[in-house]
Amino acid sequence: MAQLLVRDIDSDVVRELKVRAARHGHSAEEEHRRILREALRPGASGKPLKEMLLEMPDVGEDRDFERPEDRGRPVEL
């Protein structure tokens, strides 16, 4: 497995990382791994698509979402 070294991090950011890690009951290093995982693979630990769709508000009319007819465009060959 690869290693990642990050330099020049503001001390307040490091402090918040440690506080967050303590709240979750693991090390700052593990918290860092989890944050990166969530940020770079949001679909892996996120909500299922069905759940997200069900949470969407029921607003608007069907015509609000209609697409104009695709008439194409002239193409030079």
Side-chain angles (χ1 to χ4, degrees):
M1 192 167 287
Q3 293 184 1
L4 179 65
L5 177 64
V6 182
R7 298 177 195 266
D8 299 324
I9 307 251
D10 294 333
S11 59
D12 59 326
V13 172
V14 174
R15 185 174 42 257
E16 288 301 316
L17 178 67
K18 289 179 180 181
V19 168
R20 182 173 165 166
R23 262 196 320 259
H24 293 136
H26 46 260
S27 68
E29 186 177 6
E30 176 60 23
E31 186 68 23
H32 189 190
R33 281 192 290 268
R34 290 177 185 218
I35 291 170
L36 287 172
R37 231 179 269 123
E38 286 176 24
L40 299 174
R41 292 193 224 156
S45 63
K47 295 180 182 179
L49 177 60
K50 179 179 178 181
E51 189 175 328
M52 290 188 331
L53 292 173
L54 289 171
E55 290 176 353
M56 293 175 68
D58 186 17
V59 297
E61 302 293 325
D62 286 344
R63 70 176 181 271
D64 294 336
F65 301 98
E66 289 179 3
R67 294 175 56 175
E69 181 182 336
D70 185 8
R71 298 182 192 177
R73 60 182 173 84
V75 177
E76 286 187 38
L77 299 175

